[in-house]
Amino acid sequence: MTDISDLTLDLSQSVIISAAIGDVWKNLLQRLSADSATSDGQPMPLVLEEWPGGRWFRDLGSGQGHLWAFVQVIKPPTILELQGPMFMSYAVAGHIQFKLIQQTDGVELALRHRAMGMIEDEHRKGVVPGWQAILEHVKSRSET
């Protein structure tokens, strides 16, 4: 018998970034698109269309690629929500929220990734270091 926890993913992570909220927003969008890379640092051509209903997809050229998500909510510079399978090319529904919250010591960049479906163990294990690497990249780029 399958337990509901086997069919769901609920991950929350955040970092505090000592930078202006607009810079953090710009670097987040840049990391999710032009500066996207695999966990081993290889370039991964992602495109993020910055409007409600816009696509977030991996562009392999010549009309080929992978749809990762649709933009559900975009309110610069405080919130970006994406809905879709993300990097999981199988029957799964996912939602990710990036929230930028002004703090006295900078900006909190908070991420929440939730998904439901028959999530493969490789993806379940990889999301924690994968999203953390993205948050740390945004922090590093924003604080320079």
Side-chain angles (χ1 to χ4, degrees), residues 28 77-81 97-101 107-112:
L28 172 64
T78 59
I79 193 161
L80 175 65
E81 293 184 13
Q97 179 185 71
F98 294 96
K99 251 183 165 172
L100 285 75
I101 306 151
V107 176
E108 179 183 9
L109 173 55
L111 167 144
R112 185 152 187 206

Side-chain angles (χ1 to χ4, degrees), residues 6 88-90 117-126:
D6 294 332
M88 298 177 265
S89 291
Y90 48 87
M118 299 183 87
I119 301 165
E120 294 177 4
D121 285 340
E122 177 185 346
H123 288 137
R124 188 179 300 282
K125 293 174 187 167

